[in-house]
Amino acid sequence: AKLEEAASGSLAECEGRALPERRVVYMVSGGGAQSAYLTVEGAPQAGKTPVSSLLGATLLGMGRLQKAPLPQESGTVATLVVLGVSDS
């Protein structure tokens, strides 16, 4: 449903949003900056994050400086912050 909403938005609404085929720079709970290239492909590949993964689904549709909870394998919940989104 989140992917359909993102796909149906106008270009102005999509500008600066984390969508498939875009690179997202993010930070998890005060750690260093990391990047993910979002894809709609099901299997994870080196340097690519599928939107079907927990991280990809959380990032999908987020904009710069937006925060969201991100469950961790340890059972804790970290805070995910988007630092930037680009087309490449």
Side-chain angles (χ1 to χ4, degrees):
K2 198 172 180 184
L3 184 57
E4 290 170 2
E5 287 177 26
S8 68
S10 72
L11 278 167
E13 291 172 345
C14 294
E15 192 67 33
R17 296 282 177 196
L19 298 172
E21 310 307 319
R22 289 189 177 168
R23 180 156 309 280
V24 182
V25 178
Y26 65 94
M27 184 173 61
V28 178
S29 291
Q34 302 176 58
S35 71
Y37 184 77
L38 295 180
T39 68
V40 291
E41 298 165 5
Q45 298 176 12
K48 296 184 179 181
T49 303
V51 295
S52 60
S53 69
L54 180 59
L55 176 61
T58 304
L59 287 169
L60 190 62
M62 292 180 69
R64 187 173 182 274
L65 301 181
Q66 189 172 357
K67 298 178 183 180
L70 181 66
Q72 303 293 291
E73 289 182 16
S74 64
T76 61
V77 179
T79 299
L80 174 85
V81 180
V82 172
L83 303 175
V85 178
S86 65
D87 288 332
S88 57

